[in-house]
Amino acid sequence: MVSGNIFHCRKNSWPPQEYISKSTLQLFDYDSSAPPEQAWRRRLNSHANLLKEFRVTFTEAIKMVRLGIRIWSYVREEASHGRKAPIDPFTRESCKPSASQGVPLGGMGSGSISRGFRGEFRQWQIIPSLCEASPVMSNQFSIFISREGGKKKFASVLAPGQHEGLGSSRKPDDQGISSWGWNLSGQHSTYHALFPRAWTVYDGEPDPELKISCRQISPFIPHNYRESSLPAAVFVYTLVNTGKERAKVSLLFTWANSIGGSSHSSGDHVNEPFKAEDGVSGVLLYHKTAKGNPPVTFAIAACETQNVNVSVLPSFGLSEESSMTAKHMWSKMVKDGQFDQENFNSGPSMPSSPGETLCAAVAASTWVEPHGKCTVAFSLAWSSPKVKFVKGSTFNRRYTKFYGTSEKAAADLAHDALTHYNRWEEEIEKWQNPVLKDEALPEWYKFTLFNELYFLVAGGTIWIDSPVLSSNMRNDQDRVRELESAVVKETEDKMSDRKRTVVESTTDSTYDSAVITGHDRADEKLYEDDDDVGRFLYLEGVEYIMWCTYDVHFYASFALLELFPRIELNIQRDFARAVLCEDGRKVKFLAEGNWGIRKVYGAVPHDLGTHDPWHEMNAYNIHDTSKWKDLNPKFVLQVYRDFATTGDLQFGVDVWPAVRAAMEYMEQFDRDGDGLIENDGFPDQTYDTWTVHGVSTYCGCLWLAALQAAAVMALELGDREFAETCKRKFLKAKPAFEEKLWNGTYFNYDSGSSGNSKSIQADQLAGQWYTASSGLPSLFEDSKIKSALRKVYDFNVMKVKGGRMGAVNGMHPNGKVDETCMQSREVWTGVTYGLAATMIHAGMEEEAFTTAEGIFLAGWSEDGYGYWFQTPEAWTMDGHYRSLMYMRPLAIWGMQYAINRPKAILEAPKINIMDRIHLSPVIGGYSHNETGVRKIATKAGCFSNSVFNCAC
């Protein structure tokens, strides 16, 4: 645990009373309607400044010209096949990125919609890999207020009137949304975010005598694998009348039949009113997607109570041709505050025509007594039960396990959200309170920790209900049986003989040229459990469209391990399966223009694919990642950390053969026999523009840690011979590493003789981070660890704008930023959080929080660059970002893991488990045997629940 009160004098806590009057806060002090003290805040009239994208220098551009030409050609080739390249630096979004994001809606893996801090719904990610950033401005909450006697009336959209999404020109005779009352200034209205909830407080706007709190709630509930998959959100309005007269208040929720972009104009969309149980009623909006994508159904609803009356308008349009225009709808609400009850009997609307926008509205009306309070609740749900990838694979989303695949499931989701949200909030508060009430933690850290989790919803996540790639998912039962029957070697034989069984595909055109080896790709028992949690994908970033990018997952995975550990274990199983497979299709690598095979046996893939995940891995094709030096060690380290943290023996059994294969694969990179792996003079690791020569501090440290982790895991699973092998290599490699890289103060960037070989790399102790996180003995003496971290802190952190930017990746020992390449001069947000976690493990708490605070200051603070809820991969000294909404910043949960390590990890250092590995005499090197794997099988019962076949 963190000792003492870190930075107790720092300002970076924003008490709500600085944004809302104390009297207003007291009025909302019930039913969770007041925002918590620990929340990220903005005034609604804050300007959403445009963000500045990174630029390469002239020198970098010259170096990258050939790569740029090859990428441009590849992007065009993919587009000709109707596909989007996973990395496309040439296509720009029509909506320029701005500092406007807020907490996204819904649970994980069922499509997402973000909501800006000023109330606009944006960043639509319903279709896999497709992100429509522009807001749909007709999706709004509005309010209509009239006092008894009719003397005072107010009608306003609950979003600032000066909004760039509305455009600059408004015609007085417009029949669309510009005819609505966009008269909220936002000066006295504030937004408060603590993911997965957000509060918007209108302190006397638009009615000076009415205080309004709207809290947004989504079902992101750690360890709850059912409700955390639901595509639904609730908006609970608390109304407090401070006047002397009764107030009739009508709240209006409008929604367009759209999934963002121009999808509203494609035609054939239909709206239909519905009434459910418990007073829940609303409108279903059936959206027919383009390009053969599965349909989407939205539901907007409100809950009728004794004091609240609900009415609907199933359809209205934005043009003069509409039978009911947006202007007429607004006029109706201004006059009556509600719609006609007969609308519930109208049935489905006529399908919309191409070019027409079809919208719906739900109104909830109530009387609020003088000095009285009232609550009105709305819900939004969407149902897109099928996930279809570009190359044809189709899956059912996780929530369909509980709600089915009917297009009307959206109504049930909207109903359950309105009837269950109180319980959701109780569970969310129970989860968050220990952190929020920990006085030893800085205030900025508390809300940044939770708010960075936005990515698990808005990061293009997909969660399917099927445990494996079963035959019905592939629509090709014969092929799956063919793969099953074609496996002719047992796992033990593969691991000892290192042979490959080659299976040629002849039935699936996707694999006509494929060479696929390894074990059964459709073993339905792999993921079975008392309550199977399905399979999970999330993007590297909304600009880098690759699923579960593994070198980045290394940093981000702490969040899943902490909050949804069974998802984390299943991701590791996916990669374990991948290690033991080979895909022989030829791929052109764009950095050098050379060709190689897509997936090599024994190599950990860079990612699980883009257009056909799980089947077509390694969508990344800049470099040949089978030659990368960090992926395999990262796999071993993550697997051991997860194994040690969860204590799941079956998981260890499932993945062990892949761990051993991954370690043996790396032997080829130890070319001088010193036990260390060498880099190959190109960017062969996660820093994929930063060249490495010889032994590198980053990959070498990861390798040392992986040797230790593999040795200990082998011992714990009964493979004693391999444990001895790894220990021997470790004992040989460690002194070689220190001799080649330790310079008395820190570890040099690499052992080469280039101009940056002596650079100070922020990430030089990544392997030690995982060693400490896994309860393993430290790789180096404490004095060396602290010396290296102190050097990074003094140079990479504090020499960059006084520590207000995070840690720059590379710094020369003369105090100048290493500008060898684009990435050496960047601050990587996730790496900075990982560095801070390493410092916490080393007992350098103050340095850790100062380091991480730089990310908060540059990205999240009011004086920062505006990266909230879209934290990028990187930024430069002048505030230019690269790759918004990126996976790696989830590494802040590595800090929390370091603060609150599991009991098993805390107790592990008491015994140096490496000392339990006794080395036996070796004659002629080491020999492989098959007893180790069989011992594991006996220990766990059998391999019946494993991806690996067993002959017990």
Side-chain angles (χ1 to χ4, degrees):
M1 291 292 293
V2 172
S3 58
N5 192 329
I6 304 295
F7 306 138
H8 61 277
C9 296
R10 293 230 175 181
K11 165 66 174 62
N12 293 325
S13 57
W14 300 328
Q17 56 266 28
E18 293 186 10
Y19 287 74
I20 315 169
S21 66
K22 189 174 181 179
S23 60
T24 299
L25 282 171
Q26 291 173 343
L27 292 173
F28 288 129
D29 191 21
Y30 80 106
D31 191 32
S32 301
S33 57
E37 289 186 11
Q38 305 88 355
W40 177 90
R41 314 186 197 281
R42 279 294 176 279
R43 298 191 189 279
L44 262 61
N45 65 342
S46 299
H47 177 63
N49 56 293
L50 294 178
L51 307 181
K52 299 181 291 184
E53 192 170 7
F54 87 102
R55 297 171 302 208
V56 296
T57 65
F58 178 77
T59 302
E60 290 166 351
I62 294 298
K63 291 180 180 179
M64 298 170 68
V65 65
R66 291 182 180 177
L67 172 62
I69 292 171
R70 293 189 191 107
I71 293 178
W72 179 75
S73 178
Y74 172 68
V75 168
R76 291 189 62 189
E77 173 69 16
E78 287 294 283
S80 70
H81 295 289
R83 300 190 294 260
K84 183 176 175 61
I87 301 175
D88 178 3
F90 306 105
T91 305
R92 291 288 176 265
E93 297 288 345
S94 56
C95 175
K96 292 185 178 181
S98 63
S100 57
Q101 298 289 0
V103 174
L105 305 168
M108 301 189 299
S110 296
S112 68
I113 306 166
S114 291
R115 193 174 185 223
F117 73 88
R118 294 177 300 174
E120 72 277 15
F121 295 84
R122 59 190 311 136
Q123 214 75 30
W124 301 73
Q125 296 187 84
I126 306 296
I127 306 299
S129 303
L130 180 64
C131 179
E132 295 286 357
S134 301
V136 177
M137 293 303 294
S138 52
N139 297 351
Q140 295 290 343
F141 285 99
S142 303
I143 194 165
F144 304 83
I145 307 162
S146 60
R147 295 285 172 174
E148 200 166 37
K151 295 179 181 178
K152 300 176 183 177
K153 286 192 174 185
F154 303 90
S156 178
V157 178
L158 289 174
Q162 300 301 319
H163 197 297
E164 59 267 19
L166 290 171
S168 56
S169 59
R170 301 186 199 173
K171 300 177 182 178
D173 59 344
D174 185 16
Q175 298 296 308
I177 63 171
S178 65
S179 63
W180 298 354
W182 298 90
N183 45 39
L184 193 82
S185 73
Q187 182 178 355
H188 301 291
S189 301
T190 52
Y191 179 83
H192 313 257
L194 190 66
F195 179 90
R197 296 187 294 173
W199 293 254
T200 306
V201 177
Y202 305 87
D203 194 359
E205 287 189 287
D207 182 346
E209 295 180 333
L210 185 70
K211 310 294 185 180
I212 308 165
S213 168
C214 170
R215 73 184 187 276
Q216 170 188 312
I217 309 155
S218 292
F220 183 97
I221 305 167
H223 308 286
N224 183 329
Y225 296 87
R226 182 185 189 276
E227 286 170 301
S228 295
S229 72
L230 304 185
V234 178
F235 306 90
V236 182
Y237 280 85
T238 302
L239 310 170
V240 181
N241 183 3
T242 61
K244 299 179 180 179
E245 302 157 324
R246 284 178 64 190
K248 182 182 181 182
V249 180
S250 296
L251 287 159
L252 176 70
F253 188 16
T254 53
W255 198 259
N257 198 323
S258 167
I259 58 171
S262 60
S263 61
H264 58 277
S265 62
S266 57
D268 285 336
H269 310 312
V270 174
N271 294 353
E272 180 183 16
F274 72 90
K275 275 197 171 186
E277 298 175 346
D278 306 309
V280 175
S281 53
V283 181
L284 286 166
L285 299 89
Y286 304 104
H287 185 85
K288 184 177 180 180
T289 58
K291 299 180 180 179
N293 286 308
V296 181
T297 304
F298 292 98
I300 55 172
C303 191
E304 192 161 272
T305 66
Q306 185 176 358
N307 301 319
V308 178
N309 176 62
V310 177
S311 59
V312 302
L313 182 63
S315 61
F316 67 90
L318 305 183
S319 64
E320 295 180 0
E321 291 76 22
S322 305
S323 56
M324 169 67 78
T325 67
K327 185 175 183 177
H328 291 149
M329 182 277 298
W330 187 266
S331 299
K332 172 74 173 174
M333 286 299 299
V334 169
K335 179 182 176 184
D336 301 331
Q338 61 188 20
F339 301 115
D340 300 332
Q341 288 296 314
E342 303 88 73
N343 290 345
F344 281 110
N345 303 318
S346 62
S349 68
M350 293 292 293
S352 63
S353 302
E356 177 186 6
T357 302
L358 188 63
C359 304
V362 174
S365 306
T366 186
W367 284 93
V368 187
E369 300 297 325
H371 306 291
K373 301 177 181 179
C374 185
T375 298
V376 178
F378 293 88
S379 65
L380 166 68
W382 57 95
S383 177
S384 180
K386 298 287 184 183
V387 175
K388 182 181 178 183
F389 292 103
V390 171
K391 291 196 173 180
S393 294
T394 302
F395 307 88
N396 288 336
R397 294 190 193 265
R398 165 75 174 170
Y399 78 90
T400 63
K401 183 171 185 175
F402 318 108
Y403 285 84
T405 58
S406 168
E407 59 186 4
K408 293 184 180 293
D412 296 329
L413 287 159
H415 168 272
D416 289 357
L418 285 168
T419 54
H420 295 162
Y421 74 83
N422 284 319
R423 180 169 51 79
W424 294 353
E425 285 198 289
E426 289 175 3
E427 294 187 36
I428 291 167
E429 289 174 2
K430 183 179 179 180
W431 156 48
Q432 293 184 335
N433 279 340
V435 174
L436 300 180
K437 294 179 180 179
D438 188 344
E439 295 183 358
L441 297 174
E443 294 300 301
W444 64 264
Y445 170 79
K446 297 176 183 179
F447 56 76
T448 308
L449 176 73
F450 291 114
N451 285 334
E452 288 285 18
L453 289 172
Y454 84 93
F455 190 82
L456 290 177
V457 171
T461 55
I462 292 175
W463 194 355
I464 64 171
D465 75 327
S466 299
V468 293
L469 298 174
S470 61
S471 54
N472 64 325
M473 291 178 184
R474 295 287 301 158
N475 297 316
D476 191 353
Q477 294 185 1
D478 292 338
R479 166 155 179 75
V480 173
R481 295 192 187 101
E482 186 179 309
L483 283 170
E484 289 175 344
S485 63
V487 177
V488 298
K489 286 287 187 181
E490 298 293 343
T491 298
E492 300 93 321
D493 295 331
K494 273 184 176 283
M495 298 309 301
S496 60
D497 296 335
R498 303 197 61 184
K499 294 180 180 179
R500 296 169 174 75
T501 301
V502 179
V503 182
E504 294 288 353
S505 170
T506 58
T507 59
D508 186 340
S509 60
T510 305
Y511 291 89
D512 282 348
S513 59
V515 178
I516 304 172
T517 74
H519 297 279
D520 171 16
R521 297 177 60 192
D523 185 344
E524 296 193 9
K525 294 182 178 179
L526 172 57
Y527 300 97
E528 283 181 356
D529 202 337
D530 294 336
D531 179 21
D532 171 66
V533 300
R535 303 178 95 184
F536 189 83
L537 297 170
Y538 64 145
L539 291 175
E540 179 177 338
V542 296
E543 297 177 37
Y544 297 165
I545 308 171
M546 293 164 282
W547 301 110
C548 294
T549 297
Y550 201 73
D551 57 307
V552 185
H553 183 68
F554 175 80
Y555 298 83
S557 58
F558 283 91
L560 286 173
L561 178 62
E562 180 84 7
L563 307 176
F564 298 94
R566 292 165 72 187
I567 289 177
E568 165 64 9
L569 295 188
N570 277 2
I571 290 176
Q572 302 299 0
R573 287 185 173 103
D574 281 334
F575 278 91
R577 176 192 295 271
V579 168
L580 300 175
C581 290
E582 184 163 292
D583 182 344
R585 284 171 291 178
K586 295 292 183 179
V587 174
K588 184 177 182 180
F589 301 113
L590 304 179
E592 301 296 334
N594 58 317
W595 290 79
I597 69 171
R598 179 176 286 277
K599 168 65 181 71
V600 175
Y601 175 88
V604 174
H606 173 274
D607 55 78
L608 291 177
T610 292
H611 302 309
D612 195 11
W614 296 297
H615 292 109
E616 186 181 89
M617 294 168 287
N618 279 332
Y620 177 92
N621 61 349
I622 304 297
H623 299 287
D624 182 354
T625 59
S626 68
K627 297 178 181 178
W628 276 21
K629 309 308 183 296
D630 63 338
L631 288 168
N632 283 37
K634 284 176 175 177
F635 170 70
V636 175
L637 289 172
Q638 288 184 74
V639 162
Y640 182 75
R641 178 205 57 189
D642 296 350
F643 175 66
T645 301
T646 63
D648 190 327
L649 180 61
Q650 185 60 59
F651 168 71
V653 170
D654 288 345
V655 301
W656 174 247
V659 170
R660 184 162 172 169
M663 291 299 292
E664 291 177 338
Y665 180 84
M666 296 301 291
E667 291 174 11
Q668 63 183 300
F669 302 120
D670 178 11
R671 298 183 176 89
D672 56 7
D674 64 353
L676 284 174
I677 57 172
E678 283 85 41
N679 293 80
D680 284 326
F682 76 100
D684 49 357
Q685 25 74 41
T686 194
Y687 298 90
D688 58 354
T689 68
W690 200 358
T691 297
V692 194
H693 300 277
V695 177
S696 79
T697 184
Y698 181 69
C699 296
C701 189
L702 290 171
W703 175 240
L704 289 179
L707 283 170
Q708 189 167 247
V712 173
M713 190 171 183
L715 179 67
E716 293 179 353
L717 292 176
D719 196 344
R720 287 186 174 272
E721 183 180 15
F722 196 70
E724 290 185 37
T725 298
C726 291
K727 181 173 180 177
R728 282 193 181 91
K729 286 182 176 290
F730 175 78
L731 293 176
K732 189 176 185 180
K734 178 182 173 181
F737 179 86
E738 295 193 43
E739 180 184 350
K740 293 182 178 181
L741 295 174
W742 180 252
N743 62 21
T745 308
Y746 63 95
F747 294 98
N748 291 336
Y749 176 69
D750 64 29
S751 62
S753 57
S754 64
N756 70 324
S757 289
K758 289 182 169 54
S759 286
I760 308 161
Q761 185 177 13
D763 216 1
Q764 62 183 269
L765 290 178
Q768 173 59 30
W769 173 27
Y770 260 71
T771 295
S773 298
S774 304
L776 294 169
S778 291
L779 296 177
F780 315 106
E781 295 92 335
D782 287 348
S783 59
K784 289 184 178 179
I785 293 171
K786 289 187 175 181
S787 174
L789 291 174
R790 168 58 64 180
K791 190 71 173 183
V792 171
Y793 178 76
D794 289 342
F795 279 67
N796 301 58
V797 177
M798 299 308 295
K799 289 186 181 297
V800 179
K801 296 199 174 179
R804 299 179 64 84
M805 293 284 290
V808 68
N809 284 333
M811 178 73 79
H812 289 296
N814 64 4
K816 293 184 178 179
V817 171
D818 183 346
E819 299 195 355
T820 302
C821 68
M822 175 181 71
Q823 293 174 344
S824 63
R825 62 183 172 91
E826 290 178 329
V827 171
W828 281 13
T829 52
V831 166
T832 299
Y833 286 141
L835 169 62
T838 311
M839 291 173 170
I840 292 173
H841 284 296
M844 300 170 63
E845 295 162 355
E846 183 166 349
E847 293 88 344
F849 283 97
T850 299
T851 297
E853 189 183 25
I855 303 302
F856 160 77
L857 291 170
W860 288 83
S861 73
E862 285 188 289
D863 299 325
Y865 297 115
Y867 299 136
W868 44 83
F869 301 102
Q870 52 187 338
T871 314
E873 156 75 319
W875 54 62
T876 54
M877 304 303 101
D878 55 358
H880 286 75
Y881 75 87
R882 182 170 60 80
S883 188
L884 288 176
M885 300 184 74
Y886 197 79
M887 180 198 294
R888 205 179 322 243
L890 284 169
I892 192 174
W893 280 85
M895 295 179 65
Q896 188 61 20
Y897 184 95
I899 294 167
N900 259 347
R901 278 172 283 178
K903 183 179 179 182
I905 301 302
L906 285 171
E907 293 178 350
K910 295 176 182 177
I911 302 172
N912 188 333
I913 196 167
M914 289 288 281
D915 292 342
R916 290 169 48 196
I917 304 173
H918 302 294
L919 300 182
S920 56
V922 178
I923 301 174
Y926 69 89
S927 61
H928 296 286
N929 67 3
E930 62 179 73
T931 58
V933 175
R934 290 196 179 280
K935 284 182 182 179
I936 303 169
T938 303
K939 198 171 183 179
C942 186
F943 278 86
S944 59
N945 289 329
S946 169
V947 67
F948 313 111
N949 293 331
C950 178
C952 298

